[in-house]
Amino acid sequence: MTDRIIRVAEPVLDGNEVAYVMDCLKTTWISSRGSYIDRFEKLLADYCDVPHAVVTNNGTTSLHLALAAAGVSAGDEVIMPTLSYIATANAAHYCQATPVFVDCEPEYLSMDPEKIEAAITPRTRVIMTVPLYGHPVDMDPIREIADRHGLLVIEDAAEAIGALYKGRKVGSLAQGSSFSFFGNKTITTGEGGAITTTDEQYASRMRFLRGQAVDPAKNYWHPEVGYNYRMTNVAAAIGTAQAERLDVHVRRRQQVAQWYFDELRDYEDIFQLPHPASWATPSYWMFTILMRSDAQVPRDEWIQALSSKGIESRPVFYPIHTMPMYRPQASQGKLSSPFPVAERCAALGINLPTHGNLTRDDVAYVCEQTVATWTQLSNRKPQSRLRAA
Ligand SMILES: *Cc1c(COP(=O)(O)O)cnc(C)c1O
């Protein structure tokens, strides 16, 4: 088995992808006009139970567009979890707004609703929620806080298409929800993104800014600064084929997650497994396990050991406030971090391979090696444990 590498992520392209891409090539509709753009947008909107979806060329531009079209600009503050992918903060930065970070809660790894209000100032415009690794965010308390303070809720749902919150689709829970279709995401267009919304005016503002803010009635006339964030028809052709089978793609991941739970059930004293909240149906973008805090295994050595067994894994994201450009000035030099939970989860967590091509045997092998490598590393000599600590 070690001659094969089990990838942490793989696209599954077993629908109409080839046929639809060939159609683009044969008809020469390969740029950002063509029927697949509309078809993909319609499928996404229908899937998320909202009237509008606006596709873009990646999941970072979709986030930027969602904020820009909401009027976020210089001096504004956007509240967001520190435990997320870098794009969440960068999107606010592109608007010349300031990302304001909030710690996460320890079970589902998303922004702790109880810590949000302390981060609100007169400059706050948006609360950006991030359903991390496919587990939805507890939106009701967050919507309540947002309503009370007159704030927008925009969701960076890049990792969570197909997840449900109290039976409702992620993508329908905020004023705008941004998705990514990068190659490792639940469905892919190679590179791609989208925003779903119920607000028609907001959707048309996003379409306007996406296409260089050209006046719809006057070609080459641009009344303000827009962007070229358009998706190509070729990418949308792949997306259309992917979205036609969205349920299948999500169900496969949920099946893989179930196998992981079955295989790792006896090791919950060592690993924290991603059990869903009572109100959540996760889509399991990544099956993420955390070492219990008393564990003494250096996470990166563990990743290396798994790699030597032919298993790719990933560390949980480094909290964004630890990156040089987002390090909060106020906390520098202070002894205690304002984000202890995020830092702890980030240091202890790894993503195991999660994609629709995995078999039950693959998952069994990954789990066997996950436990074996961890055990081997934790039984090392006491002095090496001390060095690691
Ligand atoms: C993948 C991802 C994005 C967008 O990434 P792109 O590579 O630009 O498509 C944004 N936020 C989060 C949390 C992500 O995981």
Side-chain angles (χ1 to χ4, degrees), residues 57-63 84-88 130 132 156-159 178-182 184-185 191-193 285 317:
N57 53 350
N58 64 62
T60 304
T61 55
S62 59
L63 260 187
S84 182
Y85 180 60
I86 192 70
T88 314
V130 183
L132 207 69
D156 179 357
E159 306 179 359
S178 170
F179 294 100
S180 165
F181 309 118
F182 183 62
N184 66 4
K185 293 289 178 9
E191 296 272 7
W285 175 52
F317 298 123

Side-chain angles (χ1 to χ4, degrees), residues 16-17 20-21 24 29-41 43-44 55-56 181 188-193 230-244:
N16 288 321
E17 287 82 358
Y20 291 172
V21 169
C24 295
W29 288 95
I30 59 171
S31 199
S32 57
R33 288 188 189 182
S35 61
Y36 289 106
I37 310 274
D38 294 339
R39 282 173 70 178
F40 186 33
E41 289 188 337
L43 285 168
L44 285 172
V55 295
T56 66
F181 309 118
T188 186
T189 59
E191 296 272 7
R230 296 183 299 258
M231 176 180 269
T232 68
N233 199 44
V234 180
I238 301 172
T240 301
Q242 292 268 289
E244 284 171 348

Side-chain angles (χ1 to χ4, degrees), residues 206-256:
M206 288 190 282
R207 290 179 202 285
F208 173 69
L209 292 177
R210 173 181 69 178
Q212 295 287 25
V214 67
D215 186 330
K218 190 171 171 185
N219 227 337
Y220 295 117
W221 184 255
H222 308 270
E224 51 185 301
V225 176
Y227 312 95
N228 178 357
Y229 284 173
R230 296 183 299 258
M231 176 180 269
T232 68
N233 199 44
V234 180
I238 301 172
T240 301
Q242 292 268 289
E244 284 171 348
R245 291 160 56 76
L246 238 164
D247 276 329
V248 176
H249 292 294
V250 171
R251 252 187 279 123
R252 281 175 175 159
R253 281 170 188 276
Q254 290 168 335
Q255 172 66 78
V256 166

